[in-house]
Amino acid sequence: MINREWHLVSRPVGWPKPEDFALVETEVPTPAEGQILVRNKYLSVDPYMRGRMSAAKSYAAPFELGKVMQGGAVGEVVESNAEGIAVGDHVLHFFGWREYAVMDAKHAVKVDADAAPLSTYLGVLGMTGLTAYAGLLRTASFKEGDSVFVSGAAGAVGSQVGQIAKLKGASRVIGSAGSDEKVKLLVEEYGFDAAFNYKNGKVSDQLREAAPDGVDVYFDNVGGDHLEAAIGSLNLRGRIAICGMISVYNNTEPAPGPRNLARLIQTRGRIEGFLVGDHYDLQPEFVSEVGPWVASGKLKYRETVVEGIENTLEAFLGVLRGDNTGKMIVKL
């Protein structure tokens, strides 16, 4: 059988281009002892993958040139040479960007297709959901009554941050997004108290209007002018959790830092970056609390679904452009 998989063939400079990648046909691999063969059903494409396309030293090893890339995926086991995982089981793993994947069984986690749609294990109940949960509650030390600002608020992580804050008793939740349609979604469906389109004016001016009493927590997915605006509106002992900075991922020159960092002295504010991989100890707590919210409809989610392995690259580029509402998923 033929297996199609995406390879990185050259390291992008600035915005990734189609010629930096190749969709390659290979033979479907055979699992050895202790391994399983999985037919992927859903693939995840995420902003952090842009960093792994660079050779620069980072928290994750760069993708290797001429080899298949990696990413979150959910699939069905079609062959098993491992105890504890049977043909027909569904598993979550990190061997995406391909139709079939072979792996040691220890690198796969069984998921229940009856408890929730398989795609949710890549989003609202998966890594992006845990990112929102850990970043807000642990890194930003959210407490009841806080005013919260979230950038990239219509994305997979941001939309969940705002809703968790509301469910946990935030006094006010403000979000930024890149279209009037997304702004409407944040307020009318996700329950944000206010939202604005960052393309419609200076972020700092729009944030002051949306949060006249300032913000206690800023969850940063964007960086740049959003981070500077949040520092400008930060209340006494405010906290900023840096999850991502998508505005600078494709820059070829270093981006200038916020010009108002000195204000942190006045506010005694704190900025802290975090990686979800440091917080997997929260996974049981996250699932037990957020799972029922999702099941009951208290926590809503959206997915942008692109069909076909051949369209995985375009889906990834769409994430960088901000085309998605909620989690970007590729359905195979």
Side-chain angles (χ1 to χ4, degrees):
M1 293 191 297
I2 297 299
N3 182 32
R4 289 180 293 174
E5 54 186 39
W6 281 96
H7 290 201
L8 183 68
V9 296
S10 61
R11 301 207 179 275
V13 177
W15 276 86
K17 302 181 294 297
E19 51 265 36
D20 295 323
F21 307 85
L23 183 59
V24 177
E25 290 189 352
T26 63
E27 289 187 5
V28 173
T30 301
E33 188 68 28
Q35 293 187 326
I36 57 175
L37 175 65
V38 178
R39 179 170 60 84
N40 287 331
K41 291 192 169 184
Y42 294 95
L43 308 179
S44 176
V45 286
D46 303 279
Y48 79 87
M49 293 174 174
R50 176 63 184 88
R52 295 195 66 188
M53 293 172 188
S54 167
K57 187 176 181 180
S58 184
Y59 62 87
F63 293 135
E64 294 185 58
L65 292 180
K67 294 188 177 181
V68 61
M69 295 183 289
Q70 295 177 322
V74 176
E76 181 180 355
V77 177
V78 293
E79 190 174 345
S80 176
N81 284 327
E83 292 185 10
I85 298 181
V87 171
D89 285 345
H90 292 93
V91 295
L92 172 68
H93 60 87
F94 207 67
F95 296 88
W97 290 85
R98 69 200 82 183
E99 291 177 305
Y100 289 86
V102 69
M103 69 204 72
D104 292 344
K106 64 182 180 182
H107 294 314
V109 177
K110 287 200 288 188
V111 295
D112 188 350
D114 296 323
L118 285 174
S119 60
T120 62
Y121 293 105
L122 296 175
V124 66
L125 294 178
M127 185 176 71
T128 52
L130 181 60
T131 300
Y133 191 86
L136 177 68
L137 302 182
R138 179 176 279 175
T139 306
S141 303
F142 170 85
K143 61 184 184 296
E144 186 178 354
D146 279 343
S147 174
V148 178
F149 171 43
V150 187
S151 59
V157 173
S159 59
Q160 209 156 340
V161 171
Q163 292 183 82
I164 292 172
K166 289 293 289 185
L167 288 164
K168 289 281 192 178
S171 61
R172 189 168 178 80
V173 174
I174 304 101
S176 71
S179 73
D180 293 341
E181 181 183 8
K182 290 180 179 180
V183 166
K184 183 178 180 181
L185 173 71
L186 293 176
V187 175
E188 295 185 0
E189 184 167 334
Y190 293 155
F192 282 58
D193 297 288
F196 60 86
N197 182 345
Y198 66 83
K199 298 175 182 177
N200 287 347
K202 284 187 64 176
V203 174
S204 55
D205 292 343
Q206 294 193 81
L207 178 58
R208 276 193 295 270
E209 182 178 348
D213 297 322
V215 297
D216 302 299
V217 168
Y218 170 48
F219 193 104
D220 190 16
N221 292 305
V222 174
D225 55 356
H226 282 73
L227 178 56
E228 187 169 291
I231 293 171
S233 287
L234 203 63
N235 288 333
L236 184 67
R237 304 198 187 284
R239 289 87 66 204
I240 296 174
I242 306 292
C243 176
M245 291 191 173
I246 198 169
S247 69
V248 304
Y249 287 169
N250 294 305
N251 288 4
T252 56
E253 299 291 335
R259 297 166 294 182
N260 57 348
L261 282 174
R263 193 169 185 277
L264 294 174
I265 303 170
Q266 172 191 343
T267 62
R268 281 76 112 193
R270 170 169 64 84
I271 300 179
E272 183 177 347
F274 74 99
L275 296 174
V276 67
D278 296 332
H279 303 281
Y280 281 131
D281 62 296
L282 288 177
Q283 181 78 21
E285 175 187 325
F286 159 69
V287 172
S288 66
E289 185 163 28
V290 175
W293 286 344
V294 174
S296 67
K298 287 184 177 180
L299 195 152
K300 299 175 174 61
Y301 68 95
R302 288 279 191 99
E303 294 175 340
T304 299
V305 179
V306 173
E307 296 203 11
I309 184 73
E310 66 277 7
N311 294 316
T312 305
L313 176 59
E314 182 56 30
F316 169 70
L317 296 176
V319 170
L320 298 183
R321 292 191 299 261
D323 294 349
N324 57 303
T325 299
K327 184 76 182 76
M328 181 71 89
I329 298 286
V330 179
K331 181 180 180 180
L332 303 188

